[in-house]
Amino acid sequence: MLGALKRWLRHRALRGNAVHCPLCGQGAVAFLPSGDPPRPHALCPFCGSLERTRMMALALHQRGLPRAGQHVLHVAPDRSLRERIRATPGITYTAGDKKEPGYTYPPGTMDLDVTALPFPADRFDLVICSHVLEHVPDDRTAMRELFRVLRPGGLAILLVPMSARPTTDEDPAVTDPQERRRRFGQHDHVRLYGRDYPDRLRAAGFTVTVEQPAQQLPPTDVFRFGLKADEDLVLGTKGPASERPRS
Ligand SMILES: [Zn+2]
């Protein structure tokens, strides 16, 4: 009851026209700070979307994805994007997460090991795996699995935190949460990808393109949609069968 009242008051106080969330479609006076350390202008007060979630939503919207009849795999879905995609008529939506004790997951989320996906090859038209691989010790196997289940002609959105360094920093011996946080950016990250991240995806079979969607928009829209000006949208596609790596 108190929670509902708080939400109602927050809605009233924050409703406005300065910013617009493409996920929930609501206007607000501002996006809220989020993260550690907090980033300003990050969190939608209504649906909880972040800069990268809104970037993915805009990228999907621009491409008219997903479409009726398509199969979508969403790994570790954030709630706002999940609700948006599930609302698409006629799609088959599969969500999965590596279930950990002490966490709750939306109904219908399957327990999923991204290094051993329980799906046939070429199953999904759209695969979304955002901010997952930096948690996965054997990320190369995970990448090959994501590639395997992607249908030729389909699209994979494969975001990770990436530093400006040329090479990925990883060391399996680093298991102390404090040290991981210092070196990899979060207590449960096992590496910090560098600019070589797309090469690792290519080695798994993907054809990779890296876009910066915010650079294609006027600065007023970048602000209005609460995007990071330099955030990379990393996309993977699957070429013809003859180009697939042999396993
Ligand atoms: Zn929103």
Side-chain angles (χ1 to χ4, degrees):
M1 185 64 194
L2 194 59
L5 180 62
K6 271 186 180 167
R7 274 197 298 279
W8 183 79
L9 286 169
R10 191 168 61 173
H11 267 243
R12 287 270 305 211
L14 291 168
R15 225 163 21 207
N17 292 315
V19 301
H20 177 86
C21 175
L23 274 157
C24 64
Q26 301 201 67
V29 293
F31 290 117
L32 304 177
S34 180
D36 179 22
R39 306 181 305 279
H41 201 58
L43 181 81
C44 172
F46 305 125
C47 75
S49 72
L50 296 170
E51 304 96 320
R52 63 175 179 267
T53 340
R54 294 187 291 271
M55 175 180 73
M56 289 189 281
L58 289 168
L60 290 172
H61 178 72
Q62 284 169 346
R63 290 165 171 81
L65 294 174
R67 285 188 290 273
Q70 293 191 323
H71 290 248
V72 179
L73 175 63
H74 201 172
V75 183
D78 29 348
R79 186 174 65 88
S80 53
L81 190 58
R82 169 194 160 89
E83 296 310 314
R84 175 64 181 269
I85 292 175
R86 283 180 71 212
T88 310
I91 66 159
T92 304
Y93 179 80
T94 304
D97 211 331
K98 183 169 181 289
K99 293 195 173 173
E100 309 271 6
Y103 288 83
T104 57
Y105 301 88
T109 306
M110 61 189 295
D111 193 8
L112 199 67
D113 176 358
V114 75
T115 66
L117 294 173
F119 309 114
D122 303 346
R123 173 67 181 273
F124 294 100
D125 304 278
L126 176 64
V127 173
I128 302 172
C129 183
S130 171
H131 286 232
V132 170
L133 293 168
E134 71 274 17
H135 298 267
V136 179
D138 187 2
D139 65 331
R140 287 182 171 87
T141 297
M143 289 171 184
R144 282 196 297 272
E145 278 292 89
L146 293 166
F147 179 75
R148 182 181 66 79
V149 301
L150 181 67
R151 179 170 296 174
L155 183 72
I157 301 180
L158 302 161
L159 305 190
V160 294
M162 238 188 305
S163 77
R165 294 162 45 131
T167 55
T168 294
D169 180 22
E170 63 187 329
D171 181 352
V174 175
T175 55
D176 174 56
Q178 294 285 357
E179 180 60 8
R180 281 181 164 175
R181 182 186 149 98
R182 186 193 71 75
R183 197 161 145 188
F184 306 140
Q186 192 170 302
H187 68 91
D188 55 353
H189 288 181
V190 299
R191 71 184 64 78
L192 178 58
Y193 289 104
R195 305 313 299 180
D196 58 348
Y197 169 61
D199 296 334
R200 205 173 279 208
L201 291 172
R202 287 185 189 105
F206 287 105
T207 301
V208 181
T209 55
V210 182
E211 302 177 4
Q212 291 188 325
Q215 298 291 326
Q216 309 302 317
L217 295 172
T220 47
D221 280 355
V222 175
F223 178 84
R224 182 170 161 73
F225 294 132
L227 305 175
K228 284 183 186 166
D230 59 351
E231 185 146 44
D232 291 318
L233 178 70
V234 180
L235 303 173
T237 56
K238 193 172 192 170
S242 61
E243 291 178 15
R244 278 186 233 162
R246 295 179 191 282
S247 55

